[in-house]
Amino acid sequence: MNATFERLDLSIDGEFAISRGTQTDVETVVVRVSDDAGQTGIGAAAPDAHYGETADTVTAVLPALLDAVEAVDDPLALGRIERRLRGTIRDNPAARAAVSIACHDLATRRLGVPLYRHLGLESGRAPPTSYTVAIDEPEAMAATAETAATEGYTVLKVKLGTDRDRERVEAVRAAAPEATIRVDANEAWTPHEAVEKSDWLADLGVEFVEQPIPAEHDDRLPYVHERSALPVAADESCVALPDVPRVADRVDIVNLKLMKCGGVREAVRMVHAARAQGLEVMLGCMVESTASIAAACHLAPLVDYADLDGALLLAEDAYEGPTYAGGTVTFPDRPGTGVRSTR
């Protein structure tokens, strides 16, 4: 096998604002792993500085990771490949995820089946994805919500963490009265605020609240969990496999992301660990290209909730594959993850 990678900067359609800041573009690193027969698997990293990764750190460690793949020299030895990846680089999960995705794409292309079928999953069991309504003026958030609902999205994920949170949610609810609404504070609230806001969020028909308090204050999650009027989901508080049992008695839902956990097989392990702890599972993403989100789409039949709209937030993607138009996943009729370049 041989492998290559390239950096790719993608513009966001407008701005994407959460409580921690605003993005106008995303940096990705695309990985290609090829075999001697000319088959090529594609994956990508969507690094997040919040977790200590950037495009620079990804490109710095990828040569060592790709050397590990070439040393295995067996596209179907996916378990051995991921063990070698973890043994080579312990941190940098987005970099490892890019390689893992590319290797799974290559292996299932060689086998002639889509990734979800290789995993024994049913495409029709994937839950609808939410469409993210980023922080903006209430009127602008309402307009985004109305457009998404008109396009068939039945689930909206509303970003909060401002001094006008209630006004923003009320505007979204008025614009999309039939939509299922979830809110994500991205660590912005205190425990007291989280409990207080959960009361009026419940009155507005919100389904659950994601990451209400900072992950560094996880010891206060039990306070929120016990008093919240809504179920609580962990995102920043649940990064890797050991976090699942650690937060199991503090939340109701865990949000798993390939870019946080480091690979396809690790994500599957986290799903099973969460089930064993009695937790519901959401599969999420960063703002990222289809080159990386495609693999998560194939895992979606395993989970209860999907938040896989990251590529929809781009002005233009360089790859195509599974889509979530109107919230419903559609898999292309080709093996692997279904990803191919549009450039």
Side-chain angles (χ1 to χ4, degrees):
M1 293 193 294
N2 63 83
T4 61
F5 64 89
E6 65 169 333
R7 289 178 64 150
L8 185 64
D9 295 335
L10 299 171
S11 296
I12 293 174
D13 186 10
E15 294 183 345
F16 183 76
I18 64 172
S19 61
R20 286 195 293 268
T22 301
Q23 290 177 270
T24 58
D25 60 276
V26 293
E27 293 182 319
T28 64
V29 184
V30 178
V31 171
R32 294 178 180 82
V33 179
S34 302
D35 62 14
D36 294 338
Q39 292 267 36
T40 298
I42 299 170
D48 189 332
H50 185 70
Y51 299 105
E53 282 190 278
T54 65
D56 287 338
T57 66
V58 169
T59 56
V61 301
L62 272 177
L65 292 173
L66 297 178
D67 283 347
V69 171
E70 292 179 7
V72 173
D73 200 30
D74 181 354
L76 301 182
L78 295 170
R80 196 188 330 158
I81 288 171
E82 288 207 357
R83 288 194 299 273
R84 289 289 293 265
L85 295 179
R86 288 196 303 272
T88 301
I89 301 291
R90 294 296 301 176
D91 297 319
N92 299 90
R96 287 189 284 114
V99 180
S100 169
I101 293 166
C103 289
H104 279 78
D105 185 28
L106 174 59
T108 46
R109 286 181 191 233
R110 284 173 59 102
L111 294 170
V113 296
L115 177 57
Y116 72 84
R117 291 200 62 193
H118 176 65
L119 297 172
L121 305 178
E122 301 173 57
S123 61
R125 295 184 64 85
T129 188
S130 54
Y131 188 91
T132 302
V133 181
I135 292 174
D136 204 332
E137 291 300 312
E139 298 80 6
M141 293 177 72
T144 298
E146 184 175 18
T147 298
T150 300
E151 292 176 353
Y153 291 92
T154 60
V155 184
L156 302 176
K157 179 174 181 175
V158 180
K159 294 289 189 176
L160 297 180
T162 75
D163 57 1
R164 297 168 65 191
D165 281 343
R166 184 166 189 159
E167 185 180 353
R168 287 174 162 86
V169 180
E170 288 175 341
V172 169
R173 172 54 76 202
E178 302 301 320
T180 296
I181 296 178
R182 303 162 186 166
V183 302
D184 183 3
N186 285 113
E187 307 181 275
W189 299 335
T190 67
H192 177 76
E193 286 176 321
V195 173
E196 183 272 326
K197 293 187 179 193
S198 74
D199 288 332
W200 57 259
L201 287 169
D203 290 341
L204 288 168
V206 169
E207 185 177 24
F208 60 77
V209 57
E210 183 179 344
Q211 198 61 44
I213 68 172
E216 64 188 26
H217 300 316
D218 277 352
D219 59 326
R220 302 301 310 280
L221 268 176
Y223 173 89
V224 177
H225 186 228
E226 291 164 9
R227 294 164 176 81
S228 174
L230 292 172
V232 177
D235 181 2
E236 288 88 344
S237 293
C238 188
V239 175
L241 182 59
D243 294 322
V244 175
R246 183 180 60 78
V247 303
D249 62 348
R250 306 175 185 185
V251 297
D252 305 282
I253 306 159
V254 289
N255 184 4
L256 314 181
K257 297 176 181 176
L258 294 180
M259 296 301 127
K260 292 190 303 181
C261 73
V264 173
R265 297 173 71 84
E266 187 72 351
V268 172
R269 281 188 284 268
M270 290 184 72
V271 171
H272 294 318
R275 298 293 190 210
Q277 296 287 340
L279 294 167
E280 291 189 300
V281 183
M282 176 162 58
L283 193 59
C285 65
M286 310 300 182
V287 181
E288 55 189 272
S289 168
T290 299
S292 49
I293 288 181
C297 290
H298 284 264
L299 297 181
L302 280 172
V303 305
D304 305 286
Y305 311 105
D307 177 34
L308 298 172
D309 66 333
L312 301 177
L313 306 176
L314 298 173
E316 186 176 2
D317 198 352
Y319 292 87
E320 63 176 18
T323 63
Y324 261 109
T328 302
V329 67
T330 301
F331 293 96
D333 186 22
R334 50 182 180 266
T337 64
V339 166
R340 62 186 179 192
S341 175
T342 58
R343 293 180 291 172

